[in-house]
Structure formats: C-alpha cells, structure tokens
C-alpha cells in the first residue's frame, strides 16, 4: 500500500511531463518564449551597464561643475595670501535628498592647504573622476587643477571634490528599473500575443481533430481541406485517401463474406437434401449410394472451407510476414510427389523440369500452397491423355515457375477475371470454388512477384509466376 502511495504521484507527474513535452502548443510556446527570454536577459545586462555609465557620467559632471565653481572662487588678496570663500551652490547641488556627504579640499601647487579636509585623496589625472575610499566610505572623487588670477602661470591650485555614492546608486536603480519595466511589459505583451496567435493558429487543427473524433464508426466521409491552413491540406488529403482505401477494403471484405456465405450455402443445402434422401432410403444399396454422394459433397465443402482459410491467411495483415528462403525447385518437386497418384488416375503425363536450386524469399508454406493450386488446376482441367509440365528456372534476378498444360485453356478475355475470387469460367464441369487462382495471385504478390496467364502455341494454358530470386 505504502509502495502505491509513493509511486502513484511520480507516475502521474511523469505522465503530465510526457503530455507537456508532446504538446504542440507547449512546444511552439517554448520555442517562442525561450529565445525571447534569452534576448531580454542579454538586453537587461546591456541596459544595466548603460544605466551604470549614465549615472557615472551625470555624477562626474556634477563633481566637475562643483570643483570648477570652487576653483573660480579662489582669490589672492592684497597680501598675496590665497583665499577661498566656498560658494554654497558648489555643495548644495549634491543635496538630492539621499543623505550624501560632500568633502572638498583646495591645495596650492606647493602643497599647502587652502580650505577643506586635508586628508582627502586626489585623483591621478586632472579632470577625471575615480572611485576611492575615504574614511571607510566609498566615494567618487574629482580633481581639477585651475590657474588663479594673481599667481604665477604654473602655480595652479588643485581642487578635489568627493561625494558618497547614495545618489549615484539611486540614479542607477531608477534608470535600470524603468528599462526593466518596459522590457517586462514587452515580454508580457509578446507572450499574450503568442498564446492568442497559437490558439487561433491551432484552432483549425483542433476542429479537424474533433471532426475525426465525431465521425460515427460506419461513417467515413471525406473531410473538407478548405477549413485548414494550406500546410495541413496534404494531411487532410492523405487522411481522405486513407479513408477511401479503408472503405474500399471494407467493401471488398463485405463482398467476400457475402460470396463465401453464398458458396457455402449451396453445397450445405445439397448436403441436407442428400442426408434426408439417405435417411428415407430403405434399400441398402440405394442408401449406400446416397451416403457416398453425401460424402463427396462433404469433401467438397471441406475443400471449399480450407480454400477460404488459405485465402484469408494469404491476405496481408492476417499473419506475421515470413521471410523464409526456400528452394522453389525443391518445393515444386515435393508438391508433384503428392500429385503422382492423381496424375496416374487421370492418365495425365505429369513432368518436372528443374536443373538447379532456385531460391526465393517469402512465406514457405504459402508458396507451396500456391504451387499446389496451379498443379491441381492443370490436372483438374486437362483431359485424360494430356500433358502437364512444371518447370522452375532462374533468369537473372528472377525465378520463373511455369505450369503448362495442353488442356482447354482460358480465353484471352477471361485471363484477368479468373484471378478474381470465386470467378469460374461458365460451363466448367469439374468442381471447384473459384478461389485457387485468387490464392495464387495473393501469395505471389505478397512475395513481390507477378502472375501471367498465356496460351502456348500448341493450345492449353501456361501459368507463369515470376518471383525475385533470393
Ligand atoms: N489449367 C487450366 N485450364 C483451363 N482452365 C483453367 C485452368 N486453371 C483454371 N482454369 C479456369 O479458371 C477458373 C478459376 O480457377 P480457380 O481459381 O483455381 O478456381 P477453381 O479451380 O476452384 O474453379 C476455373 O474454374 C477454370 O474455369
Ligand atoms: Mg482451382
């Protein structure tokens, strides 16, 4: 029980995962959304960098403006002392409400402090800002060297202004956040449009699915290809073709069952009649005759039933395809041995003409059954005193099996029809079902070969079976 509890959710999850992976909608969505997310990640990184640069730039400009304002306020008084009256604006511009602290330092070229904090570091280069540490806090520092009116030309003063980074950080965040919001909105809109588009695009496919599901079992009407996108039309056409094939196969099957029932009913009625005749017969001789007739009819019925069975086995899909490699010459010899007795009784000269092994690939028992049917026909329809010759030979990539007789033959216009099921030439005296040649055709075609009926010069029938050599 405990085992059940642990495996059940996992198998459910696995099934859900499989369904998601196999879903067209999910696949399409993933292929749209994933690259989009990738693009947006790269974009966010770039916009993060650009926000950084912009914030730095603005801050540096402010620092430079502040340093310049201070430098311009430096003066040399009448005694030659350098003095500065720091203008409030120079420091107030950093009062952005983020609690930043500002430091400044004004020193002379020879290193004496004019104003500000003495230990404030300066940058290495003139007019360029640097990120440094001052009194434990990270600061941005700008140093400006500036000439002072009244001092020698090369005796400049150096003004450094430093500010803590709160405002810069806030600025960077604001810039980045506004970019992020825009991009998020873009993803949402794109995702929404993608889902709506998918839904609309897939609608005809789903309609087709519903239409396929809805059709009743016996209804196989073709679907209209107009309702789906042009890419899917070949699929609809293929589906329609497929249904047409199924329909014609079903029709053939129905015809076959009806024919078979009909063929069985006639001899069965005969058997019933013969049985009641035999039962009524008082005289033992007559009764024996009637029973003999009954036995003959039953034998015919058995033969018909076994032909039906063979035919159904020869049909594609009725049993697992076999790929035996058999020697057709040896198979023909074996079949002919079983017919020697019959040939003798019917006074027919039955001959075999093979000179080498002729290998073919296919269903061994069925190929033998095919030869049986051809020899059986030849012996059955050829008059006493006739000749039947079976030959097997190799011709390049093909093996040729020929069954030739000098019987009545088959008129040209019926050579096609006799290969059909239940077709018998009108006036045929010998009993039969009309299934023999249909079995031959089915077996040969399944083995990749062809059957041809021709009339030899001397009259009679020549059945030629061509099979690919193995
Ligand atoms: N060797 C042959 N010579 C003359 N007619 C033949 C020969 N083989 C077949 N046929 C004709 O073709 C028909 C169909 O043959 P088949 O399919 O074997 O059925 P069945 O032998 O049971 O009648 C036969 O009824 C017969 O009229
Ligand atoms: Mg036959």
């Amino acid at each position: 029980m405990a085992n059940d509890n642990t495996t059940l959710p996992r198998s459910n999850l696995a099934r859900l995962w499989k369904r998601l992976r196999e879903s067209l909608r999910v696949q399409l969505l993933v292929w749209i959304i994933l690259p989009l997310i990738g693009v947006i990640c790269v974009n966010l990184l770039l916009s993060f960098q650009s926000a950084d640069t912009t914030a730095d730039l603005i801050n540096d400009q402010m620092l430079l403006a502040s340093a310049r304002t201070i430098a311009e306020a430096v003066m040399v008084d009448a005694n030659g002392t350098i003095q500065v009256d720091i203008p409030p604006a120079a420091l107030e511009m950093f009062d952005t409400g983020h609690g930043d602290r500002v430091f400044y330092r004004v020193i002379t070229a020879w290193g004496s402090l004019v104003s500000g904090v003495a230990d404030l570091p300066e940058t290495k280069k003139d007019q360029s800002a640097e990120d440094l540490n001052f009194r434990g806090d990270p600061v941005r520092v700008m140093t400006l060297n500036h000439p002072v009116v009244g001092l020698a030309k090369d005796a400049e003063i150096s003004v450094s202004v430093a500010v803590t980074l709160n405002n810069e950080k806030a600025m960077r965040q604001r810039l980045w956040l506004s970019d992020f919001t825009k991009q998020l909105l873009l993803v949402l809109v794109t995702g929404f449009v993608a889902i709506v588009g998918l839904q609309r695009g897939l609608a005809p496919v789903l309609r087709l699915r519903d239409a396929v599901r809805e059709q009743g079992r016996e209804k196989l009407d073709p679907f209209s290809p107009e309702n789906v996108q042009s890419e899917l039309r070949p699929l609809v056409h293929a589906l329609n073709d497929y249904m047409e094939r199924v329909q014609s196969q079903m029709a053939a099957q129905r015809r076959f069952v009806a024919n078979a029932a009909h063929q069985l009913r006639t001899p069965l009625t005969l058997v019933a009649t013969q049985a009641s005749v035999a039962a009524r017969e008082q005289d033992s001789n007559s009764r024996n005759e009637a029973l003999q007739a009954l036995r003959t009819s039953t034998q015919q019925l058995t033969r018909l039933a076994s032909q039906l069975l063979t035919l159904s086995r020869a049909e594609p899909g009725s049993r697992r395809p076999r790929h035996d490699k058999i020697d057709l010459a040896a198979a023909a010899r074996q079949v002919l041995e079983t017919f020697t007795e019959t040939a003798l009784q019917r006074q027919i000269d039955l001959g075999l003409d093979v000179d080498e092994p002729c290998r073919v690939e296919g269903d061994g028992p069925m190929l033998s059954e095919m030869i049986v049917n051809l020899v059986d026909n030849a012996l059955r329809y050829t008059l006493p005193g006739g000749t039947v010759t079976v030959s097997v030979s190799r011709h390049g990539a093909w093996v040729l099996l020929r069954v030739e007789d000098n019987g009545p033959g088959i008129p040209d216009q019926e050579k096609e029809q006799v290969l059909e099921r239940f077709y018998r030439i009108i006036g045929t005296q010998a009993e039969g079902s009309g299934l023999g040649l249909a079995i031959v055709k089915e077996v040969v075609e399944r083995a990749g070969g062809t059957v041809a009926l021709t009339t030899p010069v001397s009259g009679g029938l020549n059945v030629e079976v061509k099979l690919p050599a193995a």
Side-chain angles (χ1 to χ4, degrees):
M1 200 62 212
N3 202 15
D4 270 14
N5 282 347
T6 51
T7 55
L8 200 67
R10 202 181 308 155
S11 77
N12 273 349
L13 260 182
R15 222 174 301 140
L16 182 71
W17 172 238
K18 189 168 170 328
R19 261 177 57 186
L20 282 181
R21 251 190 351 192
E22 287 171 355
S23 156
L24 182 62
R25 220 175 296 178
V26 172
Q27 276 177 16
L28 289 175
L29 213 57
V30 163
W31 277 104
I32 295 170
I33 298 292
L34 277 191
L36 191 70
I37 288 177
V39 168
I40 277 163
C41 282
V42 173
N43 216 358
L44 277 182
L45 196 76
L46 292 179
S47 75
F48 187 75
Q49 279 171 355
S50 106
D52 207 31
T53 320
T54 312
D56 267 354
L57 203 70
I58 294 172
N59 210 19
D60 294 355
Q61 292 296 323
M62 280 164 68
L63 282 167
L64 189 62
S66 164
R68 191 158 280 140
T69 317
I70 293 175
E72 271 159 11
V74 176
M75 281 175 311
V76 183
D77 65 7
N79 304 327
T81 321
I82 303 170
Q83 281 188 347
V84 62
D85 203 1
I86 303 292
L91 304 178
E92 277 167 5
M93 67 169 81
F94 296 103
D95 189 11
T96 49
H98 293 103
D100 274 319
R101 278 173 299 143
V102 196
F103 310 94
Y104 66 91
R105 182 188 73 166
V106 184
I107 56 168
T108 61
W110 51 93
S112 65
L113 180 71
V114 179
S115 179
V117 282
D119 56 340
L120 189 69
E122 58 176 23
T123 62
K124 289 182 206 80
K125 268 168 56 190
D126 182 31
Q127 296 196 29
S128 77
E130 268 177 41
D131 284 314
L132 296 170
N133 256 305
F134 180 60
R135 293 183 184 168
D137 283 327
V139 289
R140 186 99 178 143
V141 188
M142 167 71 77
T143 302
L144 169 73
N145 295 320
H146 199 266
V148 181
V149 186
L151 276 187
K153 228 186 178 183
D154 53 348
E156 295 183 319
I157 48 130
S158 166
V159 181
S160 294
V161 183
V163 66
T164 49
L165 300 178
N166 297 351
N167 180 45
E168 191 183 321
K169 245 189 236 160
M171 212 158 26
R172 196 183 299 153
Q173 259 168 25
R174 258 203 320 275
L175 285 168
W176 189 71
L177 205 69
S178 95
D179 240 25
F180 178 78
T181 324
K182 271 185 237 154
Q183 305 221 0
L184 191 72
L185 208 70
L186 198 72
V187 178
L188 290 180
V189 169
T190 314
F192 178 73
V193 169
I195 289 171
V196 170
L198 266 181
Q199 208 65 26
R200 284 185 65 96
L202 286 179
V205 184
L206 299 181
R207 271 206 302 277
L208 181 66
R209 176 199 65 187
D210 292 342
V212 173
R213 268 193 194 156
E214 254 173 38
Q215 300 231 345
R217 239 161 65 83
E218 56 275 29
K219 219 170 107 203
L220 285 172
D221 292 342
F223 300 108
S224 161
E226 300 309 314
N227 300 335
V228 295
Q229 291 98 331
S230 54
E231 289 89 342
L232 291 176
R233 275 180 208 151
L235 178 68
V236 174
H237 286 303
L239 200 63
N240 286 344
D241 284 351
Y242 181 71
M243 287 195 308
E244 214 170 282
R245 259 177 295 151
V246 169
Q247 243 170 342
S248 80
Q249 259 179 31
M250 274 164 62
Q253 214 66 40
R254 273 197 295 270
R255 267 202 312 277
F256 179 70
V257 171
N259 269 330
H262 185 76
Q263 296 289 323
L264 284 168
R265 198 178 55 182
T266 318
L268 277 173
T269 319
L270 185 65
V271 165
T273 319
Q274 284 169 335
S276 34
V277 168
R280 270 203 307 272
E281 216 54 82
Q282 299 296 324
D283 175 41
S284 73
N285 271 349
S286 313
R287 178 145 76 225
N288 279 349
E289 260 172 45
L291 282 176
Q292 187 58 41
L294 182 61
R295 209 172 75 184
T296 313
S297 303
T298 327
Q299 275 166 354
Q300 277 173 36
L301 260 175
T302 312
R303 196 177 121 77
L304 174 59
S306 77
Q307 288 282 76
L308 279 171
L309 197 62
T310 310
L311 185 59
S312 86
R313 282 197 186 133
E315 281 188 326
S318 54
R319 59 187 216 158
R320 192 139 22 97
R322 289 175 58 151
H323 300 282
D324 310 324
K325 286 208 167 53
I326 67 152
D327 177 8
L328 208 64
R333 183 171 290 120
Q334 265 175 19
V335 170
L336 255 62
E337 272 164 20
T338 64
F339 276 104
T340 22
E341 191 69 21
T342 323
L344 266 176
Q345 275 171 16
R346 304 219 58 217
Q347 295 159 38
I348 289 171
D349 176 12
L350 177 59
L352 178 68
D353 178 12
V354 296
D355 42 27
E356 50 174 341
C358 296
R359 298 199 165 277
V360 294
E361 193 185 303
D363 192 324
M366 280 293 162
L367 286 167
S368 290
E369 191 63 37
M370 180 264 294
I371 305 175
V372 167
N373 275 290
L374 290 179
V375 176
D376 177 80
N377 275 356
L379 291 180
R380 195 179 289 261
Y381 301 115
T382 305
L383 296 174
T387 325
V388 171
T389 312
V390 178
S391 64
V392 185
S393 55
R394 243 194 105 134
H395 291 266
W398 298 94
V399 167
L400 225 68
L401 166 80
R402 223 186 256 131
V403 181
E404 193 176 323
D405 65 56
N406 58 358
I410 296 176
D412 278 347
Q413 64 272 19
E414 279 179 295
K415 283 199 169 86
E416 279 288 314
Q417 284 159 301
V418 288
L419 295 173
E420 284 168 19
R421 295 164 181 200
F422 300 114
Y423 190 88
R424 303 196 77 209
I425 292 170
I426 293 173
T428 302
Q429 293 298 316
E431 73 228 4
S433 59
L435 289 176
L437 288 176
I439 292 172
V440 169
K441 188 174 174 228
E442 201 81 50
V443 172
V444 170
E445 282 178 356
R446 281 204 78 186
T450 52
V451 192
L453 306 189
T454 54
T455 309
V457 248
S458 51
L461 184 71
N462 175 26
V463 184
E464 211 170 272
V465 170
K466 215 167 131 187
L467 290 169

